[in-house]
Amino acid sequence: MLRVAFIVSLLLAFSAFALRGPLEALVLYLWLAYFRPETWAWTPFFRTVPLSSVAGVYLLLRVGLSTTRFRFDLRTFLLICFLSLALISGLNSRWFDRSTGMFMDVSKAFLVTYLLALLTDSASKLRIVLQTIALSLGFESAKQAWVQLLTSPGSQNDNPIVFLGDNNGV
């Protein structure tokens, strides 16, 4: 029950913070994407609600309704070239039905990357974004390390999240 209270309090705090502007909505999305609170709370509610999708839609609406000017420069052009290459190679593939889902994942990553480049236009905003990512991943790693230290010290850390384990997926 304490986990659920902790997750709900963090979710409420970040959601209230996200009402301030598009950068804060990006921070909410990144926190949900990297922290993955649905894996922490052991209630079926968090597994049924797609929190990242809701935050992503809110991020798109917040950016669309804000005064943020969309930017098209060399970085954006290279992102569009990469997305176009993924689309062309998927359309010309023998396994078109399998590549459609992959293209949707690539297009989501493209959209988030573009919004990251668009909204982090100063060093302080970049620090906020990087701190959100680092603290979200660091909290997950620290939790896993303490559990490992208390339950079975000295043994291998076989984490289901591959890059947080001992063997790094090798």
Side-chain angles (χ1 to χ4, degrees):
M1 192 63 185
L2 287 176
R3 283 180 181 237
V4 176
F6 177 67
I7 296 301
V8 168
S9 64
L10 280 177
L11 191 58
L12 289 175
F14 271 111
S15 298
F17 182 67
L19 296 174
R20 294 177 58 195
L23 179 69
E24 289 80 5
L26 178 67
V27 167
L28 171 69
Y29 176 77
L30 290 173
W31 175 72
L32 286 170
Y34 286 109
F35 188 71
R36 295 177 312 278
E38 65 272 2
T39 62
W40 277 65
W42 295 331
T43 58
F45 172 75
F46 287 103
R47 296 204 189 276
T48 58
V49 177
L51 294 174
S52 292
S53 298
V54 171
V57 169
Y58 176 71
L59 173 62
L60 289 175
L61 289 174
R62 190 69 183 177
V63 169
L65 297 175
S66 71
T67 59
T68 305
R69 294 184 56 192
F70 292 100
R71 189 173 55 210
F72 296 102
D73 54 1
L74 181 62
R75 291 179 293 181
T76 310
F77 175 71
L78 291 175
L79 282 172
I80 291 172
C81 287
F82 180 74
L83 185 67
S84 302
L85 180 65
L87 177 65
I88 291 168
S89 63
L91 291 174
N92 291 324
S93 173
R94 288 188 286 175
W95 298 280
F96 173 74
D97 54 340
R98 292 184 186 175
S99 67
T100 305
M102 298 284 189
F103 179 74
M104 293 305 293
D105 291 341
V106 168
S107 63
K108 289 177 196 176
F110 162 77
L111 190 58
V112 170
T113 304
Y114 177 69
L115 291 176
L116 273 167
L118 182 70
L119 295 175
T120 56
D121 54 357
S122 68
S124 62
K125 291 179 180 180
L126 180 64
R127 278 190 211 103
I128 290 170
V129 167
L130 290 177
Q131 285 174 351
T132 302
I133 293 170
L135 288 175
S136 298
L137 288 176
F139 196 80
E140 171 73 23
S141 299
K143 177 203 61 112
Q144 180 68 28
W146 278 105
V147 168
Q148 182 72 21
L149 183 66
L150 295 175
T151 59
S152 54
S155 64
Q156 186 172 359
N157 180 7
D158 291 327
N159 196 326
I161 303 166
V162 177
F163 69 91
L164 296 178
D166 277 345
N167 58 0
N168 294 328
V170 178

